[in-house]
């Protein structure tokens, strides 16, 4: 465990907001793991490098999934520093702390192999959808029986995450001189009115046990060329995070029913919907309380998405579970250093008890 914080600082030092730096950091991870006696397989897909490392033996496989890529940050964020029991830096929470602890846990598990297989997947592109990394690995049969994505969860367990439906919508109006706007039809005004109507559609009012509602973010808008002309076209984009029990095709149908404007799908990613009574979730919760001062584990649903989506479409339960961090994607991203060894101990504990769990019946519907 003494190596985990220095490892994390090294990982933060790589500005992995670009693919070349991700691949460079991936090579460092390969050398680090092999230098600690682990066997590593390297895969490359569309220029994206990724690693798979496995220890232990048995009929069940536990997957640790961690991503190296980060969103863009300021140059100084890639120089990590500690202050008041916190470690600051881009990726400290999302999710290089979780990944560093997973790498260190693999070394410990290799020295004392559990009665199951534990597979570490280090992937390159979760922040941009995960298709080239985790999507590729899962499609090539690296699935396992239960998956932990090491996203920052404050040592709680996120059993669900919303799906992602990103849309590009083109609204048409009619142009005229800016001094006589009543003679035309302002496409910007039409677009904003359409956005307001979308927010009132039935799908946007639904709720579930873990979520109060879906979210609809007006992410981009582009229209107009000059001051003295009514714009005839407006392009805007929506980022919709829909509930695990909702269907994206139903959402699209509702939106298309409002107008004849052009609606194009940019991204449609699946949600994660692991059952709260999943026996692996219960065993993981017990490992948390054994290795922390928490008396009860927070079981919740994430608003964002993760690479867990690629496993659940094959019926493999996945959760997000990681150390205590804040401000990911923000200027003061941080992780509480005390939560990192706790997290590492939980992973080792959980892996040691994994073979004792009776797997749930897979749901491949």
């Amino acid at each position: 465990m003494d190596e985990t914080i220095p490892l994390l600082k090294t990982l933060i030092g790589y500005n992995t907001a670009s693919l070349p730096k991700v691949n460079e950091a991936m090579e460092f991870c390969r050398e680090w793991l092999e230098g600690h006696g682990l066997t590593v397989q390297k895969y490359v897909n569309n220029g994206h490098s990724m690693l798979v490392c496995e220890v232990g033996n048995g009929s069940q496989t536990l997957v640790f999934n961690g991503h190296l890529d980060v969103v863009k940050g300021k140059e100084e964020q890639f120089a990590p520093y500690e202050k008041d029991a916190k470690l600051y830096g881009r990726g400290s929470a999302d999710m290089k702390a979780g990944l560093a602890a997973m790498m260190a846990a693999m070394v410990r598990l290799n020295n004392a192999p559990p009665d199951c297989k534990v597979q570490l997947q280090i992937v390159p592109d979760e922040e941009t959808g995960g298709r080239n990394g985790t999507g590729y690995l899962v499609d090539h049969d690296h699935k396992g029986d239960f998956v932990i994505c090491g996203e920052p969860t404050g040592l709680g367990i996120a059993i669900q995450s919303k799906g992602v439906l990103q849309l590009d919508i083109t609204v048409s109006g009619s142009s005229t001189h800016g001094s006589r706007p009543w003679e035309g039809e302002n496409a910007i005004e039409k677009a904003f009115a359409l956005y307001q109507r979308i927010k009132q559609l039935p799908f946007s009012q639904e709720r579930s046990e873990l979520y109060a509602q879906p979210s609809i973010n007006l992410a981009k808008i582009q229209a107009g060329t000059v001051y003295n002309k009514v714009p005839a076209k407006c392009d805007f984009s929506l980022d919709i995070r829909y509930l695990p029990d909702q269907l994206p095709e139903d959402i699209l149908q509702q939106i298309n029913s409002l107008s004849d404007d052009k609606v194009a799908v940019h991204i449609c990613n699946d949600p994660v919907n692991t059952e709260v009574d999943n026996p692996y979730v219960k065993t993981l919760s017990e490992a948390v309380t054994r290795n922390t001062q928490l008396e009860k584990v927070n079981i919740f649903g994430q608003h964002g998405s993760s690479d867990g989506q690629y496993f659940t479409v094959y019926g493999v339960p996945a959760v997000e579970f990681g150390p205590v961090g804040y401000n990911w994607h923000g200027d003061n991203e941080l992780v509480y250093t005390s939560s990192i060894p706790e997290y590492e101990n939980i992973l080792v504990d959980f892996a040691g008890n994994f073979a004792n769990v009776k797997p749930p019946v897979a749901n491949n519907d």
Side-chain angles (χ1 to χ4, degrees), residues 249-309:
E249 53 265 35
D250 291 344
I251 296 172
L252 267 175
Q253 184 178 29
Q254 290 182 37
I255 292 174
N256 283 323
S257 71
L258 295 178
S259 72
D260 294 327
D261 296 305
K262 180 183 176 183
V263 179
V265 176
H266 175 62
I267 284 177
C268 185
N269 287 348
D270 293 300
V272 172
N273 194 4
T274 298
E275 299 294 332
V276 67
D277 58 354
N278 182 285
Y280 291 125
V281 173
K282 181 177 182 295
T283 303
L284 178 58
S285 298
E286 293 167 350
V288 173
T289 56
R290 275 195 299 269
N291 291 277
T292 69
Q293 295 182 342
L294 294 172
E295 296 181 2
K296 184 178 180 181
V297 179
N298 182 29
I299 306 294
F300 68 104
Q302 283 279 45
H303 292 288
S305 65
S306 77
D307 278 356
Q309 62 180 298

Side-chain angles (χ1 to χ4, degrees), residues 68-220:
L68 263 176
D69 60 316
V70 298
V71 299
K72 290 182 179 180
K74 300 175 181 178
E75 183 177 351
E76 59 266 26
Q77 289 184 280
F78 297 96
Y81 67 92
E82 292 185 65
K83 181 180 179 182
D84 298 330
K86 308 176 189 73
L87 196 156
Y88 290 81
R90 170 59 82 235
S92 56
D94 188 13
M95 57 152 282
K96 290 178 177 178
L99 176 57
M102 286 176 167
M103 292 171 66
M106 290 295 287
V107 174
R108 294 168 61 185
L109 290 168
N110 189 47
N111 293 331
D115 294 327
C116 67
K117 296 175 184 175
V118 182
Q119 182 179 111
L120 171 65
Q121 301 176 355
I122 305 181
V123 294
D125 65 333
E126 189 273 344
E127 297 291 358
T128 54
R131 169 47 60 189
N132 286 298
T134 299
Y136 175 86
L137 290 177
V138 173
D139 287 345
H140 287 77
D141 209 31
H142 292 286
K143 299 182 182 71
D145 295 288
F146 184 75
V147 181
I148 294 177
C149 296
E151 304 286 356
T153 64
L155 298 179
I157 303 172
I159 59 172
Q160 293 184 5
S161 66
K162 292 178 178 176
V164 180
L165 179 62
Q166 295 178 345
L167 305 176
D168 296 315
I169 302 175
T170 299
V171 175
S172 298
S174 59
S175 185
T176 188
H177 195 281
S179 66
R180 305 175 66 86
W182 56 85
E183 293 182 353
E185 192 175 25
N186 192 309
I188 296 176
E189 293 180 0
K190 282 187 66 180
F192 191 72
L194 177 59
Y195 165 63
Q196 295 291 352
R197 293 170 66 195
I198 289 172
K199 291 199 296 181
Q200 300 304 315
L201 285 170
F203 85 87
S204 68
Q205 311 303 311
E206 294 177 0
R207 60 184 298 136
S208 69
E209 184 177 351
L210 296 183
Y211 298 104
Q213 72 279 316
S215 62
I216 305 173
N217 176 43
L218 179 56
K220 295 189 294 182

Side-chain angles (χ1 to χ4, degrees), residues 3-46:
E3 292 187 78
T4 311
I5 299 298
L7 171 60
L8 171 56
K9 290 180 177 179
T10 301
L11 293 178
I12 293 173
Y14 286 93
N15 184 348
T16 51
S18 67
L19 180 57
K21 282 295 183 179
V22 171
N23 288 340
E24 185 180 327
M26 198 72 69
E27 186 63 17
F28 164 78
C29 291
R30 183 188 66 78
E31 293 175 355
W32 190 94
L33 291 167
E34 290 180 344
H36 286 76
L38 293 156
T39 301
V40 182
Q41 291 178 285
K42 178 180 176 180
Y43 298 87
V44 180
N45 177 43
N46 293 327

